Amino acid sequence: MSTGSRLPAVTPLGPDSVAWQVVGDRRLLLGAGTALLLQVAHPVIGAGVHDHSDYVEDPWGRLDRTIDSLLCQVFGGREAIVEAERLREMHKAIKGVDHHGERYHALNPEAYWWVHGSTFWTTVRMQDVFVHPLSRMEKRRFYAEWRQLGLLLGLREHHMPADLEGFETYFDDVVANRLEDNHTVRELLGSITMRDTPPPPWWFLPEPLWRPVRPAGGNVLTRCAIGLLPPALRDRLSLKWTDEDERRLQRLGAVVRAVGNRVPARLRLYPRAYRA
């Protein structure tokens, strides 16, 4: 089942939205591993990524394209409508048979919404730990805006919980009853360590200067990816997480908050967010 090809007339988000205040911060990159783990642990998404994605061969390019797409959806105005149509067209060809022997399609509404909804959950989690916690009212507004983006992406009202409280119940149920350990999860966990990751395109220094940075970066990304996950999913994936690990994550969060809040907006924000 797919969500259809015609997108409803939906107003893109604007400067009065909570999303405009939180999505463009570069610190949210620390949650990328968590968002990806939540997504590929879904059997449909895990199978699609395993069969069709190039993130292992081109991790930096894949990350850049994902961030650019999200920023366009939030800050792009009418351009966000074009991006939504591009995404749906691209996902039409992503189909196959998963390791359970079940047919899958990337435009399955359950899976398409889970990608979008889990990104919302991760953004809120990142705000809590690394930026500035949102109030309950701000979270409700942010979720309503995320549903608006969901409509823009081609989902329907009945595909998405009606309010934040409904989303929280839905999210816990998916984590408890739908997500799984699979090959893509294990491959992604290995990739996050950055053991074999080449330097990013913007790294203009010699390769020998990348080698000592790589393990430190991998340690931080791995700690964030695992530590920000819901405990129930950590347990299902047999990912060790101790009280000391949690304290280290909280200390890292305190440092990132303190330093990040002093960085000028033109450096702290992605260019599209800063211009907006």
Side-chain angles (χ1 to χ4, degrees):
M1 177 181 179
S2 79
T3 54
S5 58
R6 292 190 60 188
L7 301 184
V10 181
T11 303
L13 299 182
D16 59 339
S17 64
V18 175
W20 268 45
Q21 309 309 313
V22 303
V23 171
D25 197 306
R26 292 181 188 271
R27 285 173 287 184
L28 298 185
L29 186 62
L30 291 170
T34 299
L36 290 172
L37 284 171
L38 283 167
Q39 290 165 18
V40 302
H42 189 290
V44 172
I45 301 162
V49 169
H50 178 261
D51 293 345
H52 298 273
S53 177
D54 62 350
Y55 80 94
V56 174
E57 294 79 13
D58 183 23
W60 298 113
R62 186 69 185 85
L63 180 62
D64 284 345
R65 291 189 293 274
T66 299
I67 292 173
D68 286 346
S69 176
L70 180 60
L71 293 174
C72 183
Q73 293 168 45
V74 174
F75 299 101
R78 303 304 296 178
E79 190 181 342
I81 299 173
V82 177
E83 176 61 12
E85 293 173 341
R86 185 193 71 82
L87 285 172
R88 291 187 58 76
E89 189 64 30
M90 180 187 73
H91 283 86
K92 285 180 180 178
I94 301 178
K95 60 182 72 175
V97 179
D98 66 19
H99 68 281
H100 298 292
E102 300 289 337
R103 291 191 176 277
Y104 69 83
H105 194 295
L107 290 180
N108 174 301
E110 178 208 6
Y112 211 57
W113 162 244
W114 178 247
V115 171
H116 192 56
S118 59
T119 301
F120 166 81
W121 184 90
T122 305
T123 303
V124 171
R125 181 89 167 98
M126 287 296 303
Q127 280 287 133
D128 288 345
V129 176
F130 290 112
V131 185
H132 177 75
L134 298 175
S135 69
R136 189 68 181 173
M137 184 60 67
E138 287 172 326
K139 290 178 182 178
R140 289 193 177 106
R141 282 184 55 202
F142 188 25
Y143 178 70
E145 294 161 6
W146 218 248
R147 288 184 88 247
Q148 184 176 337
L149 281 183
L151 294 173
L152 190 70
L153 290 168
L155 292 157
R156 300 293 183 257
E157 294 275 0
H158 64 276
H159 295 146
M160 303 175 285
D163 54 28
L164 178 64
E165 287 72 22
F167 172 79
E168 290 170 340
T169 300
Y170 151 84
F171 181 88
D172 291 343
D173 179 67
V174 173
V175 170
N177 299 304
R178 188 71 167 118
L179 303 189
E180 63 174 16
D181 198 349
N182 57 46
H183 175 80
T184 312
V185 166
R186 292 298 146 183
E187 194 171 56
L188 178 59
L189 284 168
S191 176
I192 291 171
T193 66
M194 296 175 59
R195 278 191 292 264
D196 302 312
T197 303
W202 45 262
W203 184 269
F204 297 112
L205 298 176
E207 169 70 21
L209 294 180
W210 170 247
R211 286 197 290 269
V213 171
R214 184 166 50 197
N219 287 339
V220 170
L221 289 179
T222 300
R223 178 171 296 133
C224 292
I226 295 173
L228 296 171
L229 285 174
L233 183 57
R234 272 203 309 259
D235 293 343
R236 180 159 323 122
L237 301 181
S238 301
L239 299 173
K240 182 182 177 183
W241 190 254
T242 65
D243 290 342
E244 178 58 27
D245 290 326
E246 182 64 28
R247 286 190 289 271
R248 288 175 179 171
L249 179 65
Q250 294 304 320
R251 288 196 294 268
L252 176 63
V255 171
V256 172
R257 286 194 303 273
V259 173
N261 290 338
R262 290 170 172 78
V263 173
R266 63 184 176 82
L267 299 178
R268 178 171 47 82
L269 301 177
Y270 286 101
R272 183 186 282 268
Y274 179 70
R275 291 193 300 270

